[in-house]
Amino acid sequence: MQIVRTPGSARAIARTLPRPVGLVPTMGALHAGHLALVRRARSENASVVASIFVNPMQFGPSEDFEKYPRAFEADAEQLEAAGVDLLYAPEAARMYPPGFASAITVGDVSRGFEGARRPGHFDGVATVVAKLFHAIEPTSAYFGQKDVQQTAVIRTFVRDLDFATNIVVAPTIREPDGLALSSRNVYLTPEQRAAAPSLYRAIRAVADAVAAGERDPARACAIGAALVEAPLALEYLAVVDAQTFAPLGEAAGPAVVVAVAAAGTTRLLDNVSIPGPGGVDPIVTPARPRRAFSVSRPKQ
Ligand code: AMP
């Protein structure tokens, strides 16, 4: 596995990789959710690139940029063992040199929910993802359903701005008790950790109520909200359109149940799909049949 640190060297080396090329963007502190994306990319591409970049542009001034967990050596070892060909870990100063003055701003889909609570967050996400796409020129890029509004924002600018990269969204990986894996789960106290799975039970209950015929989003969400346990404090719980993130007047699939609960200063973010007619999931990209290309194997 090669490691590169600048956009120019990333592009030069990425252009030598056998195509199709799959890219897995991350902020590091890797867990099984990230590694599932790498495995998916490995099974669908001839080459796999991962990136690790804690992107200052997507953190607000009072957020956890400084204390965000960083574990570069362990991450690099795991990526190499998972068969990644190229690791792009740019320096912030090379991504945002003095005079940097541009951003990608996405419309309504980026304005509600996380966009409303984290001003500028999705501009930072869209801008850095666009920069990663220019550096790596991936055939496909892999994202987790865990950050579902992020996937909707990325799908929107990729479509609007004619990016050639195919966006693949893979299911959320969870702890056995239902808590979605997150690099930020290390911040949880034992008491917060014990209550954390109640958020997943809450969103599942909303999705199940809609599947059972509940059409009123407020009633469906009230069922879920009642399940969230202290010390978690629910910030929002809603049934939204999977593409636009507009709250639905009538709860029916295809849709997404989105929720955030605060555990002290840590925000737990989760969502589940409500399938559309025929059971089609509105978020997750179906796995592609294996293609006939020579897959480079991890070095022993
Ligand atoms: P992050 O390092 O948190 O920016 O996440 C990098 C990628 O991993 C994003 O596409 C996330 O949506 C995805 N991801 C994070 N947590 C999970 C999870 N529990 N299951 C699946 N994908 C995840």
Side-chain angles (χ1 to χ4, degrees), residues 9-298:
S9 54
R11 181 178 294 173
I13 294 175
R15 284 187 171 175
T16 69
L17 296 174
R19 297 188 76 81
V21 171
L23 170 66
V24 182
T26 82
M27 297 201 300
L30 300 183
H31 52 62
H34 299 112
L35 296 173
L37 295 177
V38 171
R39 269 199 307 281
R40 174 91 182 250
R42 184 72 276 172
S43 76
E44 295 182 349
N45 296 276
S47 307
V48 177
V49 181
S51 64
I52 296 179
F53 182 56
V54 184
N55 173 32
M57 192 175 168
Q58 72 188 66
F59 286 77
S62 61
E63 293 181 2
D64 58 343
F65 175 72
E66 295 298 338
K67 75 162 194 171
Y68 192 84
R70 289 165 171 87
F72 185 79
E73 299 301 326
D75 290 348
E77 270 176 33
Q78 293 187 80
L79 293 172
E80 174 147 42
V84 168
D85 300 290
L86 176 64
L87 169 55
Y88 178 32
E91 317 269 352
R94 301 301 291 263
M95 291 294 260
Y96 303 114
F100 185 92
S102 304
I104 292 184
T105 297
V106 182
D108 288 351
V109 64
S110 80
R111 303 247 157 82
F113 301 99
E114 289 310 283
R117 283 153 185 89
R118 305 183 68 187
H121 171 67
F122 286 124
D123 286 15
V125 168
T127 303
V128 81
V129 169
K131 286 170 70 72
L132 295 172
F133 285 5
H134 287 313
I136 306 300
E137 300 172 316
T139 317
S140 301
Y142 293 79
F143 298 91
Q145 174 168 3
K146 165 75 170 42
D147 299 286
V148 67
Q149 191 174 6
Q150 168 173 287
T151 66
V153 168
I154 292 167
R155 280 173 157 152
T156 301
F157 84 76
V158 161
R159 180 200 65 201
D160 292 350
L161 303 181
D162 305 319
F163 278 77
T165 297
N166 171 44
I167 303 302
V168 178
V169 179
T172 301
I173 305 297
R174 300 178 180 282
E175 300 283 5
D177 63 11
L179 173 64
L181 297 188
S182 165
S183 306
R184 289 186 169 102
N185 289 350
V186 297
Y187 299 153
L188 299 175
T189 65
E191 194 195 10
Q192 292 165 346
R193 175 64 188 83
S198 69
L199 183 64
Y200 177 58
R201 291 195 291 273
I203 56 177
R204 270 260 49 96
V206 177
D208 292 346
V210 175
E214 178 58 75
R215 289 284 168 269
D216 179 357
R219 273 209 302 268
C221 289
I223 294 169
L227 297 178
V228 176
E229 294 172 6
L232 302 192
L234 197 57
E235 276 188 25
Y236 62 77
L237 173 62
V239 183
V240 303
D241 181 279
Q243 267 88 51
T244 65
F245 258 68
L248 293 181
E250 186 185 319
V256 193
V257 183
V258 292
V260 165
T265 54
T266 306
R267 298 176 70 247
L268 298 175
L269 183 82
D270 207 348
N271 72 90
V272 289
S273 307
I274 301 175
V280 176
D281 187 294
I283 303 295
V284 168
T285 312
R288 261 183 285 160
R290 279 176 177 273
R291 300 238 326 252
F293 47 71
S294 59
V295 172
S296 55
R297 283 277 138 238

